Amino acid sequence: MAYWYEGPLAAFDTETTGVDVESDRIVSAAVVVQDAPGVRPRVTRWLVNPGVPVPRAATEVHGLTEEHLQHNGRWPAPVMYEIAQTLAEQAGVGRPLVVMNAPFDLTLLDRELRRHRASPLSRWFERTPLYVLDPRVLDKQLDRYRKGRRTLADLCAHYGVPLEGAHDAAADAQAALEVVRAVGRRFASRLEGLSPAELHTLQAVWHAAQARGLQAWFALNGAEEPVDPAWPLRPDLPAAA
């Protein structure tokens, strides 16, 4: 019997103008689909002209300049529709979606869809639910006492997954997918009895607990930074940018 981490998976990642899901914009995105471990993945990429300035700090991360995006990127409205439709197609065939730090990328996509298509991301999953696998949440739950950071680069190093071309949406999506497979194999005794649907539900609970723990740590150290417990999508705000 093949377990979910040895079967078909898809992965989604974005590069953006910044880290605020309510006001920043997507400048590139990718969906990577792999039918089985070792099989060559199928990659779909999007390059977006966000229609707003691209801060130098963001360009230093992903290498995409405002000028390059203006000349080569597409307008956001059709791109956001295509991305949402592609994710819906993955859900439609029962393929779990790997998203590293899902509340960031999925919430940002939701806000872009509201901004440019006047429609929330949830519209695309009214008939078929999307089951998300978040390597950050899974790793933090299953190896909770390990010290150190848990960025994608850190997880790749820990699980022996190559990460070439970091901060390229396709490269990051592929790496996150391989990390999830590695997590599944390492913790098979705790995961193989769970379906992606069950894991999706559990990750929401785990992430909320992890958020509460991080919030308590911030408070202990005199920081007031809020930590949102929602997963895989942050709730609507009264006035999104």
Side-chain angles (χ1 to χ4, degrees):
M1 175 181 177
Y3 297 108
W4 59 263
Y5 49 85
E6 302 291 1
L9 293 176
F12 172 61
D13 190 72
T14 65
E15 297 299 330
T16 68
T17 60
V19 297
D20 187 335
V21 296
E22 302 300 336
S23 60
D24 280 306
R25 311 297 174 90
I26 293 172
V27 297
S28 71
V31 171
V32 174
V33 178
Q34 188 181 46
D35 293 326
V39 174
R40 184 173 181 176
R42 302 185 295 279
V43 181
T44 305
R45 304 170 184 264
W46 294 270
L47 192 66
V48 187
N49 178 356
V52 300
V54 179
R56 180 178 297 178
T59 296
E60 290 174 352
V61 172
H62 49 59
L64 299 171
T65 65
E66 186 172 336
E67 181 180 14
H68 178 76
L69 293 169
Q70 287 175 348
H71 285 87
N72 299 283
R74 297 168 57 202
W75 287 113
V79 170
M80 300 311 150
Y81 179 89
E82 289 172 15
I83 294 172
Q85 189 64 30
T86 299
L87 299 187
E89 289 169 1
Q90 300 309 311
V93 297
R95 191 175 285 121
L97 183 71
V98 175
V99 190
M100 174 71 184
N101 191 18
F104 178 78
D105 293 85
L106 294 183
T107 303
L108 192 57
L109 176 59
D110 174 79
R111 303 314 191 247
E112 288 277 53
L113 286 165
R114 292 169 185 269
R115 183 179 294 121
H116 297 291
R117 307 292 307 193
S119 180
L121 179 60
S122 59
R123 172 195 159 193
W124 274 265
F125 304 103
E126 291 174 343
R127 295 183 179 181
T128 307
L130 178 68
Y131 298 130
V132 177
L133 299 170
D134 189 331
R136 186 172 182 273
V137 175
L138 291 170
D139 173 74
K140 199 169 184 179
Q141 173 67 24
L142 296 166
D143 198 359
R144 67 178 70 182
Y145 299 113
R146 188 178 82 249
K147 295 182 179 179
R149 303 188 311 163
R150 297 178 195 247
T151 66
L152 179 58
D154 296 319
L155 295 184
C156 285
H158 181 71
Y159 288 98
V161 172
L163 177 56
E164 299 178 2
H167 299 297
D168 168 83
D172 286 356
Q174 176 67 36
L177 187 152
E178 294 297 345
V179 167
V180 163
R181 292 199 190 280
V183 169
R185 294 180 190 117
R186 183 167 300 186
F187 298 99
S189 62
R190 297 164 65 181
L191 293 176
E192 61 189 16
L194 298 170
S195 68
E198 292 169 325
L199 268 177
H200 182 98
T201 300
L202 285 170
Q203 284 171 101
V205 176
W206 294 343
H207 180 270
Q210 292 164 10
R212 289 193 297 270
L214 184 57
Q215 190 78 74
W217 186 87
F218 281 147
L220 187 64
N221 287 272
E224 298 183 359
E225 184 174 346
V227 182
D228 197 320
W231 183 96
L233 190 67
R234 296 178 187 174
D236 306 343
L237 290 184

